[in-house]
Amino acid sequence: MPQTKILLDESDIPTHWYNVVADMPNPPTPPLGPDGKPIGPEALTAIFPMALIEQEVSAQRWIPIPEPVREALRMYRPSPLFRAHKLEAALGTPAKIYYKYEGVSPAGSHKVNTAIPQAYYNKQAGIKRLATETGAGQWGSSIALAGQMFGLEVRVFMVRVSYDQKPFRRSMMQTWGGQVFASPSMETNTGRAILAKDPNNQGSLGMAISEAVEEAASRADTNYALGSVLNHVLLHQTIIGQEAQKQFAKVGDYPDMIFAPCGGGSNFGGVAFPFFADKAAGKNVRLVAVEPTSCPSLTKGTYAYDFGDTAGFTPLMKMYTLGHDFMPPGIHAGGLRYHGDSPLVSQLYHEGLIEAVSVAQLATFAAGVQFARTEGIIPAPESNHAISACIDEALRCKESGEAKTLFFNLSGHGHFDMASYDKYFAGELDDFHYPDSAIQASLANLPKVG
Amino acid sequence: MPQTKILLDESDIPTHWYNVVADMPNPPTPPLGPDGKPIGPEALTAIFPMALIEQEVSAQRWIPIPEPVREALRMYRPSPLFRAHKLEAALGTPAKIYYKYEGVSPAGSHKVNTAIPQAYYNKQAGIKRLATETGAGQWGSSIALAGQMFGLEVRVFMVRVSYDQKPFRRSMMQTWGGQVFASPSMETNTGRAILAKDPNNQGSLGMAISEAVEEAASRADTNYALGSVLNHVLLHQTIIGQEAQKQFAKVGDYPDMIFAPCGGGSNFGGVAFPFFADKAAGKNVRLVAVEPTSCPSLTKGTYAYDFGDTAGFTPLMKMYTLGHDFMPPGIHAGGLRYHGDSPLVSQLYHEGLIEAVSVAQLATFAAGVQFARTEGIIPAPESNHAISACIDEALRCKESGEAKTLFFNLSGHGHFDMASYDKYFAGELDDFHYPDSAIQASLANLPKVG
């Protein structure tokens, strides 16, 4: 029987991040200021260190990873690539299924891959503390861990619905020394204003971003850190796809299709972009972003300039968006509850170079349980989206008899999501089928540009 | 900088289990029946398959691991050996610290190592379901996973204090298809009798064992599975120590001292016994079992014949015991709340061939937090016992200037124990300093033998 786990040595941790901008047919759209004019890097210096701003706007194909960052990544990388023998057998598919398991990081997801360089560059720049938001808690715990590693104080605004659903994500952040506030909170003007209107507001990623950005912009010792969406964040995640390329080479295989959950885009960008380089060089590989039907920015949103947050503090970014005041339902894949999407992912999708599908909540949990009962690992609800789409394709292969090679990113484990599984087993989850009119209503509030 | 993780190939998963009986200076003491006479293997056939009974009484040094078991172990093995560079630096010790990380198993602890062969042998014997107990939930989730892998129904009696502290361990077992009951339960005569006297009884491992054994003994299609204590369970865990030996050889190092948590003994036996073989062959290595001060069977118990459970259903085993009706406090290392200890570990301790220390609850959590803030991984409360004793030794090395090589078994992660960390941070945990009179009282009820 072929190997179950395809492992690499610590020396195989990539030495450079891959910048997809270098291989895109068109340059990325620039972010715009409140006046509708492109903003320069200097506009971001209040909340980001220069090293990250340079990465944000870089068009250089390969960007070197500093040695202390590679050193820190050795804590859990390279991550394993698994061949899903048992899932394949259960499905009775001729397809081969592989998954990269990012749940091996101490915080349990791929988010640590960017938390580490972000903490490193901020520390280098003399920053004392970081403010950030978190949805599902995967990003918040990752930056709490990375902050601890590099000696930075970390303050996390956690979307209230997740704060209540996942108390132990908070405990985890605190174990690593982080401070956690349910958002909207009384810590910021933004939070206080929202609570004044609606004391029971359940929060959203957009609101929590506003709170963290407000705090970072108002204190010189404090910077902001974001767990997805931005170019430099996706850049840092490309170590996932690069490792996977080496692992496929090791077993002499190559994926026909790659599936990754897509909320802000870092999960998808991380695994798919290095393969996009192959695709740009002529290789035949399909890259599929998988999003929830309840927050379908790529599949039902509009490609337009919008704010990254609810309050409108961020620059305008051109992206697929449901409108910055779109209020996603409290689905259990908290990491995918974002109104917009990465501008890079959005542009590639707009140009027809990548694909997107949406899957409904119940189907994702059914897929997650089938995966747990065959492969053993209990996946995060976000990851269940990729599993669901991959299983669908494997079953199509069964129909057609095609022996495709399928690959998905198992971005994290579900150890802090068991309450969601409980609700699924109790029949208390539903699919949040959205009336298109609700999306049209929030899209009507897009900022006017140009 | 030397490697952080020392990895092995799947082909390095051991092909045989190591049986410490072959290297013990004296034969193991036999289990006794209700009449005080040694019982033969046939007395166990009502609850165990013959293959496991044969392993239980075997004196053969190496016992082959069936290929389907090795195949199933490839899901997560070999487990990594880590060099704790960051912890060493934080302590400022000249000692080198290594740890074997068993939290990589899908259930999050070393318990899967024996759950897999137990499920396999029961399936081979035509058994349809397994009944078992669980304390912290690590064993229960491991056997639920293994039962799912081999197509067995699994029923778990979970000590009520853990059932209430750790609801998500229950969810995890259910995700893998297991059925879970808070023990004492209304499912068995034993449970009903205990609840009739004390409806709020918090349960103990001893009681839960009684319930599971009662169920297994009363149904022909059902066997019993135990997660620790017995010889065959410790045998299955020896793959931990064997892998560690290969990993140390790979980096040209060897431990001076090995630390492992010790409740029922499978954690300690698993990592230490293969090194005991080296010790028996003349190698200088100290093996230290670490137990809680609140349940100190080795350090404050008596070496005597006692029941393995509360109701007295099991054979009498010669072991260090606090008395089978000793009621341990609700400490957060639920896996260490057992009145007795493995007969093999007990005999080696009685003969002065291994060591034991006890550590208090607060010190173990302090050690766990220091570990999480340096090495990243949040440990299970059980594992914190080994970390605490290892850190103490590393600090003694700092005093003395000795560059010892220390090694501990990080038996599991703490993802399902965050409520315990919460209580620790809130100052709500204490050390349960036991009056010796309480131990003397339960020891007064030991069964009379011979």
Side-chain angles (χ1 to χ4, degrees):
Chain A
M1 156 162 284
Q3 269 184 283
T4 298
K5 297 181 295 299
I6 300 120
L7 302 176
L8 299 173
D9 292 329
E10 288 181 11
S11 58
D12 290 318
I13 294 172
T15 55
H16 292 72
W17 290 300
Y18 165 70
N19 187 358
V20 75
V21 170
D23 286 315
M24 285 166 65
N26 295 300
T29 56
L32 305 181
D35 57 358
K37 293 193 176 137
I39 57 166
E42 66 291 348
L44 299 170
T45 55
I47 59 170
F48 292 120
M50 191 47 75
L52 291 178
I53 296 172
E54 285 168 3
Q55 293 178 358
E56 187 65 22
V57 299
S58 172
Q60 193 182 319
R61 182 174 275 104
W62 296 104
I63 297 180
I65 304 177
E67 204 43 48
V69 169
R70 289 187 77 231
E71 185 62 46
L73 291 170
R74 291 165 60 174
M75 180 165 56
Y76 62 95
R77 297 205 78 84
S79 70
L81 180 75
F82 281 84
R83 171 81 185 272
H85 294 297
K86 298 200 192 76
L87 177 61
E88 290 169 19
L91 295 171
T93 180
K96 284 181 281 181
I97 302 177
Y98 293 86
Y99 57 96
K100 181 89 169 152
Y101 185 39
E102 291 291 313
V104 294
S105 86
S109 85
H110 68 295
K111 295 286 183 184
V112 185
N113 299 336
T114 182
I116 286 173
Q118 290 194 47
Y120 168 77
Y121 287 120
N122 275 289
K123 182 71 180 182
Q124 291 293 102
I127 287 297
K128 302 284 180 238
R129 48 180 229 174
L130 294 176
T132 194
E133 78 294 331
T134 198
Q138 291 181 339
W139 166 243
S141 38
S142 299
I143 193 73
L145 169 65
Q148 176 67 236
M149 292 173 76
F150 289 98
L152 292 168
E153 195 185 327
V154 173
R155 288 163 62 88
V156 182
F157 294 90
M158 184 171 189
V159 179
R160 177 169 294 280
V161 62
S162 294
Y163 187 92
D164 292 340
Q165 277 173 1
K166 304 189 181 188
F168 299 142
R169 275 283 173 193
R170 174 186 49 70
S171 320
M172 191 178 209
M173 294 183 237
Q174 289 167 339
T175 301
W176 286 318
Q179 287 178 277
V180 191
F181 310 96
S183 169
S185 78
M186 295 300 286
E187 299 283 312
T188 66
N189 291 332
T190 307
R192 286 186 290 270
I194 294 167
L195 290 173
K197 278 196 217 160
D198 176 10
N200 296 316
N201 193 296
Q202 289 299 291
S204 70
L205 270 179
M207 284 179 200
I209 293 173
S210 296
E211 289 205 89
V213 169
E214 179 187 324
E215 188 160 289
S218 61
R219 289 184 57 137
D221 67 348
T222 304
N223 262 350
Y224 172 64
L226 187 66
S228 193
V229 181
L230 298 181
N231 302 358
H232 69 270
V233 180
L234 275 66
L235 178 78
H236 299 157
Q237 293 292 358
T238 58
I239 54 180
I240 302 174
Q242 290 185 64
E243 284 181 6
Q245 287 172 320
K246 285 190 198 177
Q247 287 162 313
F248 275 108
K250 219 173 154 180
V251 292
D253 210 342
Y254 191 87
D256 295 300
M257 292 179 75
I258 300 177
F259 303 88
C262 195
S266 78
N267 191 325
F268 175 78
V271 70
F273 283 180
F275 289 90
F276 181 82
D278 293 347
K279 190 180 165 81
K283 194 99 184 173
N284 193 9
V285 53
R286 291 171 58 190
L287 310 173
V288 185
V290 189
E291 59 183 18
T293 52
S294 55
C295 197
S297 48
L298 292 173
T299 52
K300 292 217 171 175
T302 290
Y303 188 49
Y305 270 100
D306 196 4
F307 293 111
D309 66 330
T310 301
F313 290 158
T314 71
L316 290 163
M317 296 178 290
K318 190 155 186 189
M319 59 183 176
Y320 279 87
T321 178
L322 298 162
H324 61 279
D325 51 7
F326 176 81
M327 186 65 188
I331 57 161
H332 287 262
L336 306 183
R337 292 177 72 244
Y338 184 60
H339 68 274
D341 211 319
S342 144
L344 294 178
V345 170
S346 295
Q347 184 166 333
L348 290 172
Y349 181 62
H350 187 68
E351 296 179 353
L353 299 168
I354 62 170
E355 302 167 49
V357 295
S358 70
V359 288
Q361 179 161 262
L362 290 177
T364 66
F365 274 91
V369 170
Q370 181 168 31
F371 183 80
R373 291 185 178 177
T374 48
E375 294 295 307
I377 299 166
I378 298 176
E382 292 80 6
S383 310
N384 285 344
H385 287 71
I387 298 174
S388 180
C390 183
I391 287 178
D392 287 348
E393 183 64 30
L395 292 174
R396 278 190 291 270
C397 288
K398 187 179 181 177
E399 289 285 313
S400 66
E402 287 173 285
K404 283 188 189 168
T405 297
L406 309 178
F407 169 41
F408 68 87
N409 195 27
L410 183 61
S411 50
H413 61 62
H415 298 171
F416 293 87
D417 303 279
M418 296 315 300
S420 313
Y421 281 90
D422 272 358
K423 286 195 174 144
Y424 171 68
F425 289 125
E428 292 168 10
L429 294 190
D430 66 34
D431 272 348
F432 297 104
H433 279 298
Y434 242 90
D436 285 353
S437 58
I439 295 173
Q440 294 311 319
S442 67
L443 285 176
N445 295 329
L446 283 181
K448 305 285 171 274
V449 174
Chain B
M1 156 161 284
Q3 270 184 282
T4 299
K5 295 180 297 298
I6 300 118
L7 301 176
L8 299 173
D9 292 329
E10 288 180 10
S11 58
D12 290 318
I13 294 173
T15 55
H16 292 71
W17 290 300
Y18 164 70
N19 186 358
V20 74
V21 169
D23 286 315
M24 285 167 65
N26 297 298
T29 56
L32 305 182
D35 57 359
K37 292 190 179 140
I39 57 165
E42 68 290 349
L44 300 170
T45 54
I47 59 171
F48 293 119
M50 191 48 74
L52 292 177
I53 296 173
E54 284 168 4
Q55 293 178 0
E56 186 66 21
V57 299
S58 172
Q60 192 181 320
R61 181 173 277 104
W62 296 104
I63 296 177
I65 304 178
E67 205 44 47
V69 170
R70 290 187 77 230
E71 186 61 46
L73 291 170
R74 290 164 61 173
M75 182 166 55
Y76 62 96
R77 300 205 75 84
S79 70
L81 180 76
F82 281 84
R83 171 79 185 272
H85 293 297
K86 298 201 191 76
L87 177 61
E88 290 170 18
L91 296 171
T93 180
K96 285 182 282 185
I97 301 176
Y98 293 87
Y99 57 95
K100 181 87 169 154
Y101 184 39
E102 292 290 313
V104 293
S105 85
S109 84
H110 68 296
K111 294 287 183 184
V112 186
N113 300 335
T114 182
I116 286 173
Q118 290 193 48
Y120 168 77
Y121 286 119
N122 275 289
K123 182 71 179 181
Q124 290 292 102
I127 287 296
K128 302 284 180 235
R129 48 181 230 175
L130 294 175
T132 194
E133 77 294 329
T134 198
Q138 291 181 337
W139 166 244
S141 37
S142 299
I143 194 74
L145 169 64
Q148 176 67 235
M149 293 172 77
F150 290 97
L152 292 169
E153 195 185 326
V154 174
R155 288 163 60 90
V156 182
F157 294 89
M158 184 172 189
V159 178
R160 177 169 292 280
V161 62
S162 294
Y163 187 93
D164 293 339
Q165 277 173 0
K166 304 191 181 185
F168 298 143
R169 275 283 174 194
R170 174 185 49 70
S171 321
M172 191 179 210
M173 294 183 239
Q174 289 167 338
T175 301
W176 285 318
Q179 288 179 276
V180 192
F181 310 96
S183 168
S185 78
M186 295 301 286
E187 298 285 311
T188 65
N189 292 332
T190 307
R192 287 186 289 270
I194 295 168
L195 290 172
K197 278 194 218 162
D198 176 9
N200 296 316
N201 194 297
Q202 289 298 291
S204 70
L205 272 179
M207 284 178 201
I209 293 173
S210 296
E211 290 205 88
V213 169
E214 179 186 325
E215 187 159 290
S218 61
R219 288 184 58 135
D221 66 349
T222 304
N223 262 348
Y224 172 64
L226 187 67
S228 193
V229 181
L230 298 181
N231 302 358
H232 69 270
V233 181
L234 274 67
L235 178 79
H236 298 158
Q237 293 292 357
T238 58
I239 54 180
I240 303 173
Q242 289 185 65
E243 284 181 8
Q245 286 172 320
K246 286 191 199 173
Q247 287 162 313
F248 274 108
K250 216 172 155 182
V251 293
D253 210 341
Y254 191 86
D256 295 299
M257 291 179 77
I258 299 176
F259 302 87
C262 195
S266 79
N267 191 326
F268 175 78
V271 68
F273 283 179
F275 289 90
F276 181 81
D278 294 347
K279 190 180 164 83
K283 194 100 181 172
N284 193 11
V285 52
R286 291 170 59 191
L287 309 173
V288 186
V290 189
E291 60 184 15
T293 52
S294 55
C295 197
S297 48
L298 292 172
T299 53
K300 292 218 173 174
T302 290
Y303 188 50
Y305 270 100
D306 196 4
F307 294 111
D309 67 329
T310 301
F313 290 156
T314 72
L316 291 163
M317 295 178 289
K318 192 157 187 188
M319 60 183 176
Y320 278 88
T321 179
L322 298 162
H324 61 278
D325 53 5
F326 176 81
M327 186 63 190
I331 58 162
H332 288 262
L336 307 182
R337 293 177 72 244
Y338 184 61
H339 68 275
D341 211 320
S342 144
L344 294 178
V345 170
S346 294
Q347 183 166 332
L348 290 171
Y349 181 61
H350 187 66
E351 296 179 352
L353 298 169
I354 62 169
E355 302 168 52
V357 295
S358 70
V359 288
Q361 179 161 262
L362 290 175
T364 65
F365 274 91
V369 170
Q370 180 167 30
F371 184 80
R373 291 185 178 176
T374 49
E375 295 295 308
I377 300 165
I378 299 178
E382 292 80 7
S383 309
N384 285 344
H385 287 71
I387 299 174
S388 180
C390 184
I391 288 178
D392 287 348
E393 183 64 31
L395 293 174
R396 278 189 290 272
C397 288
K398 186 179 181 177
E399 290 284 313
S400 67
E402 287 171 284
K404 284 187 187 168
T405 297
L406 309 179
F407 169 40
F408 67 87
N409 194 28
L410 184 62
S411 49
H413 61 61
H415 298 173
F416 294 87
D417 303 278
M418 297 314 299
S420 313
Y421 281 90
D422 272 358
K423 286 195 174 146
Y424 171 69
F425 288 125
E428 292 168 11
L429 293 190
D430 66 32
D431 272 348
F432 295 105
H433 279 300
Y434 242 89
D436 285 352
S437 58
I439 295 172
Q440 294 311 318
S442 68
L443 286 176
N445 294 329
L446 284 181
K448 303 289 171 274
V449 174

